[in-house]
Every structure is written in structure tokens, then in C-alpha cells.
Amino acid sequence: MKKKLTYIDLFAGCGGLSLGLHQAGWKGVFAVEKSPDAFKTLEYNLINNKNHFDWPKWLPKKALEINSVLENYISNLEKLKGKVTMIAGGPPCQGFSMAGKRNEFDLRNDLINSYINFVKIVEPKIIFFENVKGFTMEFKKNKEKGIAYSSQVTQKLDDAGYFVKGQLVNFGDYGVPQKRTRFILVGIKKNLKNASQEKAESFFDSLKGNRFEFLKEKGLNIQTNLQDAISDLFKGNGLKETPDFPSFQSGIYGKEKGNYQKLMREGVENTIADSHRFPKHSSIIIERFKNILEETKDRRNLNISKLIQEKYSIKKRTVIPLNSIDKTPTITTLPDDYIHYSEPRILTVREYARIQSFPDWYQFQGKYTTGGKLRTQEVPRYTQIGNAIPPLFSEQSGLILKQLI
């Protein structure tokens, strides 16, 4: 019998990486995620529903912060030394994000060191690490002048005994219906049989080479666009009361159009899609959206022009009317950054999930949105999805990572 391939998911979020690894045949040991909202989603789907983790008795099944795990369970972690195949995950990276204000002194950036300490204690055979594109940018104020953060991390992991290779990958090239470029890093323990720098580097070539076959088996292709992903979720299909929020209306499923939708809807019997709750736009907003959609017919997937901003006195920095026949731009955690391509509204949580390749059986927990000061504490459904790794990509990675062992 083949030995089970196990992993620990650090900064697990709502489970996009874990779901993909689950589908690729990996077994989770446990996941560390500090947001109670995101953890609830992970727990509901992967811990309770799929029984995907062999959760150890010594670790509570709840939202935990990585440094408190390192502090309180160090002796338990030391017992795992050499027994876990992989440590996966990507530390939150708002300090490097291109979408926010980049700040190398953002405290969240220091979580990278916590990640590295975790690796040093557990000594997995391989490492899989994901972060935003900005992670490869140089920080000018840095003491090691002009060294990109990614090179520092690569160096630290090299010192910790791993052959490491990192590069930028666009998930849109792997069948995900959005253009989303992220920094992916893979490491292999130097003392493993057949381990080498070339082997670490081969991950990216194998991933690229395998994608056509992988997608073909699922009946998919690389070109999947927004319409392929969400055209069965129109508001025009009809409305029903939202099960978990009765004062809101949810959309009912339209006819399945194409294999991507078929795959996403596999195993779902309901007439209402989970988390497909429509926002309550005022008549003024609906009218404005209608006009913007009309006026941007030839200019989609781009921020609205200064002219349109002034015309409708829009103060928001980003408003992007989406293009049905293209992949979406990278979706952020702010749903009001986008206007649906043919209905005068923002996208629903379920449409967000489809763009990120979460199947419809995957149910999101917690609030839909949040605002004001709570933005820094709460991780509502849109944010959980906006921060996730698309499961369709992590499944492909999981298959190639198996070959590295």
C-alpha cells in the first residue's frame, strides 16, 4: 500500500488550497487559520463534510494564530519532525499587495518568519508556498537595499536545508476564469534521495506540461471565460428567499451551459445556489449601473474613465464593468469593484466562488460583507474567496507535488 501523503496548511483561509490538495489525493494533518469566519468555512466543508484532516488530539479545532501554535504546542510540533510530507500555504501579504498601499514594515509581513520557523521545526519533505505578485518587487528602503522579499525568503529556506525555486504563475493559464498572477515557491529537502535544485525547478515545467491533459480529463480548457463560469446564475432566472438571510433574495439556477458549470454544479440538488444572495441596490445605483454598462460596451475589464467617474460623481477608486467573453481581472476582496457584464449589479458571493473555481457544494459561512472598522477584524464571505487560492489550480499543483516525492 502506498504511504499516505500528508500536509499541514498554514494560513489556510477558507480552504482553497486544502480543497485542491484533497481532490489531488493528499491527506491533511491540520490547518492553521486565525480568522474565525474563514475557519468556519474550512471546518464546515473539509473537516466535517469531507473528513479530510486527521486532526491531532492535542490541537483544538478552532481558529488559531500561527505564533500561538508555535508557542503553545512546540513540543507536539517537534514530534512531527520528518513525519509530514509537506507544509503548504502562504502568509497574508497585504504589505506586498499591489492592490493596497505597499508597505514593507506592515506587521503582517513578519508572518513569513513564523512560516519559516514552522518549516524548521517540522522539517517536511517538501514546501509549497503562495503569495501575491508584489512579493517579488524590490523594497527600496530595505537594509539589504533592493533585494526583493522573495529572494530573502528563498535564501532563508536554502539555509534551512531546502532546494528552492519560486516564480510568478498566472492561474488563468490553468483553466481558472480569471487572470490572477501569484508568486509560487516550491522547496525540496536537500537530504532526500534524488533531491536536487533541478528537481525543484522541474515543478513549474511539469505543471505547465500537465495542464492540457488535466483539463481535458475534466472536459475543460484553458480559455474558460466569465460567461462560461457564471451564465447560469442570472438574476433574471427568478428569485427565492435566501435560506440563511430571509430578508434577502437569492437566485435560482438556470440551465447548465457547458462543462465548467457542469463540474461546478456536480452533486448539488438545490434549486437555489449557496451564497447566491443578491445585494439590495437602490434604484439610483441600478440606473447608474445600467448607464455605465451601456456606455462601456467597447471598454470592458478596465476601470471606468475619468469622464464617467465625473459624470456620475463616483468617488470610488475602482469600478470595473466586466467582459463576458474574457477572463476577469484578478478579483479582490471588494465586490463593489466590479459590475456584472449584463445585469446592473455587483457579483454575488457564489459568482465570486465560481470565478475562483470553488464548486457549488462548497458552502461559505459567516457574514456576506463588512465595513468600517470591522474590515480589519472580520473576514466575510467575499473576502474569504478573494483571498483564496483557486482549487482548480491547487489540485493541479497537488498532482505535480506528488511526483516530486
Side-chain angles (χ1 to χ4, degrees):
M1 194 178 135
K2 268 191 172 169
K3 201 167 164 285
K4 242 193 318 200
L5 297 174
T6 58
Y7 74 97
I8 294 167
D9 190 354
L10 301 178
F11 311 100
C14 68
L17 178 55
S18 281
L19 174 58
L21 292 174
H22 168 73
Q23 287 167 330
W26 287 77
K27 186 73 179 167
V29 181
F30 60 84
V32 178
E33 170 50 49
K34 77 165 190 180
S35 152
D37 301 316
F39 189 82
K40 245 185 244 158
T41 297
L42 174 93
E43 180 180 37
Y44 181 89
N45 294 285
L46 291 169
I47 299 177
N48 300 341
N49 182 0
K50 293 290 178 190
N51 194 20
H52 170 63
F53 292 92
D54 279 334
W55 208 276
K57 286 196 169 53
W58 50 265
L59 189 69
K61 277 185 197 167
K62 64 174 196 185
L64 292 165
E65 204 275 322
I66 186 168
N67 290 322
S68 76
V69 175
L70 285 168
E71 230 166 85
N72 301 328
Y73 303 102
I74 183 80
S75 60
N76 303 91
L77 292 175
E78 281 168 347
K79 285 180 190 141
L80 293 175
K81 198 183 278 289
K83 290 181 182 160
V84 176
T85 319
M86 171 166 73
I87 282 182
C93 40
Q94 282 84 345
F96 313 108
S97 179
M98 311 293 284
K101 298 182 178 72
R102 297 179 67 243
N103 170 17
E104 68 182 293
F105 302 113
D106 191 316
L107 282 175
R108 291 169 291 199
N109 298 348
D110 203 46
L111 292 168
I112 306 278
N113 293 320
S114 311
Y115 180 96
I116 291 166
N117 289 341
F118 216 103
V119 168
K120 285 179 177 168
I121 294 162
V122 177
E123 290 189 13
K125 294 180 176 67
I126 53 177
I127 302 162
F128 182 78
F129 174 100
E130 180 258 8
N131 222 305
V132 288
K133 197 159 104 180
F135 197 68
T136 58
M137 299 287 179
E138 292 177 0
F139 277 124
K140 293 300 176 218
K141 296 195 284 285
N142 213 315
K143 290 194 291 290
E144 294 98 329
K145 196 139 181 121
I147 298 181
Y149 220 114
S150 56
S151 333
Q152 290 183 49
V153 170
T154 305
Q155 189 54 56
K156 284 178 178 174
L157 288 168
D158 186 359
D159 296 345
Y162 288 84
F163 291 116
V164 178
K165 173 67 180 169
Q167 74 180 46
L168 293 172
V169 175
N170 180 359
F171 299 157
D173 296 339
Y174 294 86
V176 176
Q178 74 175 306
K179 297 167 185 151
R180 188 180 185 91
T181 298
R182 287 291 183 262
F183 176 72
I184 300 290
L185 179 145
V186 171
I188 305 177
K189 197 136 184 40
K190 290 178 181 174
N191 64 9
L192 280 189
K193 200 175 149 203
N194 301 330
S196 66
Q197 185 59 36
E198 291 71 44
K199 195 147 193 188
E201 287 169 14
S202 76
F203 169 83
F204 294 96
D205 294 331
S206 305
L207 185 69
K208 210 169 182 180
N210 188 52
R211 62 197 167 142
F212 298 104
E213 199 47 51
F214 171 86
L215 292 169
K216 195 174 146 196
E217 272 176 30
K218 291 195 182 286
L220 305 177
N221 60 44
I222 283 170
Q223 278 76 40
T224 304
N225 61 31
L226 180 57
Q227 176 174 275
D228 299 332
I230 67 168
S231 63
D232 58 334
L233 297 173
F234 286 128
K235 194 172 183 179
N237 295 338
L239 300 170
K240 277 193 174 173
E241 198 176 77
T242 302
D244 50 347
F245 287 88
S247 65
F248 281 84
Q249 302 271 287
S250 270
I252 57 177
Y253 279 118
K255 209 167 148 300
E256 259 172 27
K257 302 181 187 82
N259 286 347
Y260 187 84
Q261 292 175 16
K262 195 173 161 188
L263 180 69
M264 293 294 114
R265 282 167 65 167
E266 227 166 64
V268 175
E269 302 299 327
N270 312 342
T271 50
I272 305 178
D274 165 69
S275 301
H276 191 33
R277 178 188 104 171
F278 293 107
K280 293 179 177 175
H281 292 317
S282 69
S283 53
I284 295 168
I285 295 285
I286 293 170
E287 201 48 44
R288 182 188 291 168
F289 281 175
K290 270 185 190 160
N291 293 337
I292 290 174
L293 285 173
E294 195 50 47
E295 289 165 37
T296 55
K297 272 187 173 150
D298 306 323
R299 196 179 177 277
R300 291 292 175 88
N301 277 3
L302 296 166
N303 208 354
I304 52 170
S305 65
K306 279 271 186 293
L307 206 68
I308 292 178
Q309 265 178 333
E310 283 159 16
K311 184 175 173 181
Y312 299 106
S313 31
I314 293 169
K315 300 279 186 282
K316 238 179 96 42
R317 202 170 64 167
T318 309
V319 177
I320 299 172
L322 294 169
N323 185 354
S324 63
I325 55 174
D326 196 359
K327 293 179 184 289
T328 68
T330 302
I331 60 166
T332 65
T333 56
L334 303 170
D336 49 357
D337 282 358
Y338 315 98
I339 305 176
H340 186 284
Y341 60 87
S342 69
E343 295 190 329
R345 60 177 177 84
I346 64 170
L347 298 172
T348 66
V349 167
R350 180 48 55 191
E351 287 168 329
Y352 244 59
R354 285 276 187 91
I355 291 166
Q356 281 278 55
S357 76
F358 279 96
D360 290 12
W361 61 259
Y362 205 86
Q363 294 190 24
F364 294 90
Q365 308 291 304
K367 285 183 172 181
Y368 276 70
T369 54
T370 190
K373 284 186 178 147
L374 290 174
R375 274 224 163 121
T376 58
Q377 296 143 33
E378 293 183 334
V379 181
R381 297 183 193 194
Y382 282 106
T383 308
Q384 291 174 34
I385 298 168
N387 284 336
I389 302 181
L392 194 65
F393 174 78
S394 33
E395 183 178 348
Q396 292 174 69
S397 300
L399 294 168
I400 305 302
L401 289 162
K402 276 174 151 180
Q403 295 171 13
L404 285 188
I405 297 298

